[in-house]
Amino acid sequence: MEFIDRIEETAAFKRTLGLNRPVLIVIYGRRRIGKSELIKHVLTNQDVYHLSEEAQTQQQIDSFAKTVSFTFDGFDRVSYHDWETILTSINLYVGENTSVCLDEFSYLAKSDPSMPSIIQRLVDNKKLKYNLILCGSSQLMMHSLVLNEKSPLYQRCAWQPKLKQLRLPYIKEALHCSDQQAVEEYAVWGGVPRYWELRADFDSLEVAVRNLLVNNYGTLYDEPTRLLRDERRDTATSFSLLTTVGNGVNRISEIASRMQQPATNLSQPISILTDLGYVEKDIPFGDNPKSSKKGLYRLGDNFLSFYYRFINPNKYLIELDRQDLVMDIIRKDFSTYVGQIWEKICRDFVTGNEIDGVVYGIASRWWGGIPKENGSNDYEQVELDLVAESIDKKHILVAECKWRERDEAQSVYEQLISRAGRLPFVKKGQKVHPILFLKTETKADVPCYYPKDIIASMLQEDASKDKASY
């Protein structure tokens, strides 16, 4: 699969490397996110790219010397016995604006804990005549080694991006599929380029899921375990948390009860998983994120959401070679699952975007009680898929997001209008805008957005950013 998107990151990367001085760059993010591909996309044959491995320090130094010799012939004819010597020796070979990358830097630091301090000394004393790029998949370790305020390399980086997942439009480009299919593919693989690459080897989404996930020999069958091991943390607690939340247990008290632990014991592991992007806290519109008691925890990663919805609960069937049964389970509930991801896509689309001339802030779900339509003092419990307030506080957008084939737009819209008039958070003078986000086009004369609209808008937005990057 060819290199896709990352135009903004590529521009920033090249701009930093083009400074008239040697710079230190740190690139990190979850495994398979495309860090190494971005680096190799930018570096040239005159640069050095080294993929570190787990080994003893001397073996790592020897391996690095061999890698450097591919660019600078003869470099490995000398024996090097410490990192400072080998890193400064490269100065004798480099040309103008040469770059050296140490990928999986956390392996080197694990073997030799003095590594960050060595680099700090070389950077502070201007002992390097080349750009040094550090990269790693262990987000927590890279943060503690390089980006934590107590670390030796804190504030010494010219650029330190945490690579994010690619956005929805680019999976359409990568897999050459329709707008609707792009949403469904994104619901399974998320924005992780390596997953897209693996998916592209198969003729359909269903065949890819069966071979990569519903198969105990599948490449991604144990992917969550590998993701957690990258972080060198208590994988048992993290795995249990992901399993519990992935099974639909969303309140912290219920999660703690299911895991048979005090809720206070879970604050740190949940915080870590949130920082990693694997878990997110869903706060109803209008509540303060810091003080809200209504927050619900959900998996914040599409791939993990799919995995814990369909694969993990059915591993015993997969191990018994009951793949057909598991695929039937997935087919039966797949549309409902995609609908939940579709809601999230729509909220992300509205956040910070201009809809019909109005710019909205953060879009959230909302759930709670509203007065019944009959005018009595009774309340009914409702959930709204999307609520957002305009930046100028004059407008409220309320929306329902449906991922269904049947055309029910008219009835859904009428119900939405009815509820919109009874919402407790609408302030006096605010104008309420009900709209629908639908999978398929409707015959009803109601305001709607479809996958093609969201994808087109995202591409236009990214095009504007790309122009600004250069």
Side-chain angles (χ1 to χ4, degrees), residues 194 298 457:
R194 177 54 179 161
R298 303 180 186 278
S457 177

Side-chain angles (χ1 to χ4, degrees), residues 7 14 18 42 44 56 63 72 82 96 116 137 189 232 242 286 332 348 359 392 435:
I7 298 175
K14 290 182 177 180
V42 170
T44 69
Q56 296 296 319
S63 177
F72 304 120
D82 62 82
E96 185 178 353
S137 294
W189 315 113
R232 304 292 194 271
L242 292 177
K332 182 179 179 181
D348 290 344
V359 180
D392 62 11
I435 65 172

Side-chain angles (χ1 to χ4, degrees), residues 318-356:
I318 297 172
E319 296 291 341
L320 292 172
D321 291 330
R322 303 287 195 271
Q323 286 92 345
D324 289 342
L325 177 55
V326 176
M327 291 304 299
D328 286 341
I329 293 171
I330 294 173
R331 290 188 200 100
K332 182 179 179 181
D333 203 30
F334 187 63
S335 183
T336 301
Y337 166 74
V338 176
Q340 296 170 351
I341 304 299
W342 173 237
E343 290 177 19
K344 185 178 177 183
I345 290 171
C346 296
R347 288 191 289 269
D348 290 344
F349 165 72
V350 169
T351 299
N353 203 359
E354 181 178 320
I355 310 292
D356 296 329

Side-chain angles (χ1 to χ4, degrees), residues 9-67:
E9 293 92 335
T10 298
F13 199 174
K14 290 182 177 180
R15 190 163 52 243
T16 307
L17 292 178
L19 297 174
N20 294 321
R21 58 183 174 84
V23 296
L24 174 65
I25 292 174
V26 172
I27 300 175
Y28 70 116
R30 61 167 283 172
R31 75 185 335 251
R32 304 188 191 270
I33 202 67
K35 303 178 298 298
S36 302
E37 291 304 313
L38 172 63
I39 293 168
K40 288 185 280 188
H41 180 68
V42 170
L43 297 190
T44 69
N45 292 333
Q46 282 71 50
D47 299 315
V48 175
Y49 170 81
H50 177 68
L51 181 60
S52 309
E53 57 188 14
E54 291 189 278
Q56 296 296 319
T57 299
Q58 188 57 54
Q59 289 178 285
Q60 291 172 334
I61 291 173
D62 293 343
S63 177
F64 177 55
K66 187 67 176 177
T67 299

Side-chain angles (χ1 to χ4, degrees), residues 271-305:
S271 176
I272 290 172
L273 290 174
T274 301
D275 290 342
L276 293 173
Y278 300 157
V279 169
E280 62 185 15
K281 193 175 184 181
D282 199 358
I283 305 295
F285 174 82
D287 275 26
N288 187 326
K290 295 182 179 180
S291 59
S292 176
K293 303 296 184 181
K294 297 181 180 179
L296 302 177
Y297 287 96
R298 303 180 186 278
L299 297 186
D301 178 283
N302 289 2
F303 176 82
L304 291 178
S305 295

Side-chain angles (χ1 to χ4, degrees), residues 389-390 392-396 425-433:
E389 185 178 49
S390 63
D392 62 11
K393 310 296 184 185
K394 295 180 180 179
H395 303 264
I396 290 283
F425 52 78
V426 177
K427 301 168 188 174
K428 185 178 180 180
Q430 284 186 325
K431 185 176 181 180
V432 180
H433 302 265

Side-chain angles (χ1 to χ4, degrees), residues 155-224:
Q155 291 189 335
R156 286 170 172 82
C157 303
W159 190 51
Q160 50 189 46
K162 177 181 178 180
L163 286 198
K164 299 178 181 179
Q165 297 193 22
L166 297 182
R167 300 215 296 167
L168 169 64
Y170 301 100
I171 199 169
K172 178 184 176 182
E173 177 185 343
L175 301 180
H176 309 289
C177 58
S178 70
D179 299 294
Q180 288 184 10
Q181 289 171 333
V183 173
E184 293 176 343
E185 297 278 2
Y186 203 73
V188 177
W189 315 113
V192 182
R194 177 54 179 161
Y195 299 162
W196 299 4
E197 191 174 38
L198 293 169
R199 156 65 183 92
D201 290 334
F202 300 93
D203 293 334
S204 69
L205 174 59
E206 185 170 314
V207 174
V209 167
R210 184 182 185 108
N211 283 273
L212 296 172
L213 287 161
V214 188
N215 182 337
N216 54 1
Y217 296 109
T219 305
L220 300 178
Y221 182 63
D222 288 318
E223 181 71 358

